[in-house]
Amino acid sequence: MVPAGSSTLYAPVALNNAYGGYYTGMGIQNTTSTAGTVAINYYDATGGATTKTFAIEANGYVGGYQGSTTDGPAVGPCTAKITSTVPIATIVHERAPST
């Protein structure tokens, strides 16, 4: 639980089929009663950025799966900077390979 949202958050790990099949997902929660926009800037090992933008409803959430071919980063390990036009909170979780 967070006491308040923030317009900038950082995820030190965002994985898309990295290190033998690990993935991460993000749950981004709008902590206000105002709709807004969320941008996730994924940074790969060379510092190259890929940006994905999503609308977020008032008091709503955006579920981000880094393994998505349309919503996630390129294959491999990266970090992420999450910015929003409204205060947000997020959780990042990791999914291990099935074997």
Side-chain angles (χ1 to χ4, degrees):
M1 181 130 181
V2 295
S6 177
S7 61
T8 303
L9 302 170
Y10 297 91
V13 176
L15 306 173
N16 180 355
N17 196 22
Y19 307 114
Y22 287 87
Y23 295 88
T24 54
M26 298 179 188
I28 303 167
Q29 176 72 46
N30 182 343
T31 61
T32 72
S33 59
T34 304
T37 303
V38 172
I40 305 174
N41 296 295
Y42 295 104
Y43 298 95
D44 63 22
T46 67
T50 300
T51 302
K52 304 293 181 170
T53 305
F54 308 92
I56 191 164
E57 297 294 324
N59 299 307
Y61 70 93
V62 172
Y65 175 55
Q66 280 61 71
S68 169
T69 57
T70 57
D71 298 339
V75 171
C78 56
T79 62
K81 178 181 178 182
I82 307 162
T83 57
S84 180
T85 59
V86 294
I88 55 172
T90 190
I91 185 170
V92 178
H93 58 91
E94 185 176 301
R95 190 184 107 208
S98 61
T99 56

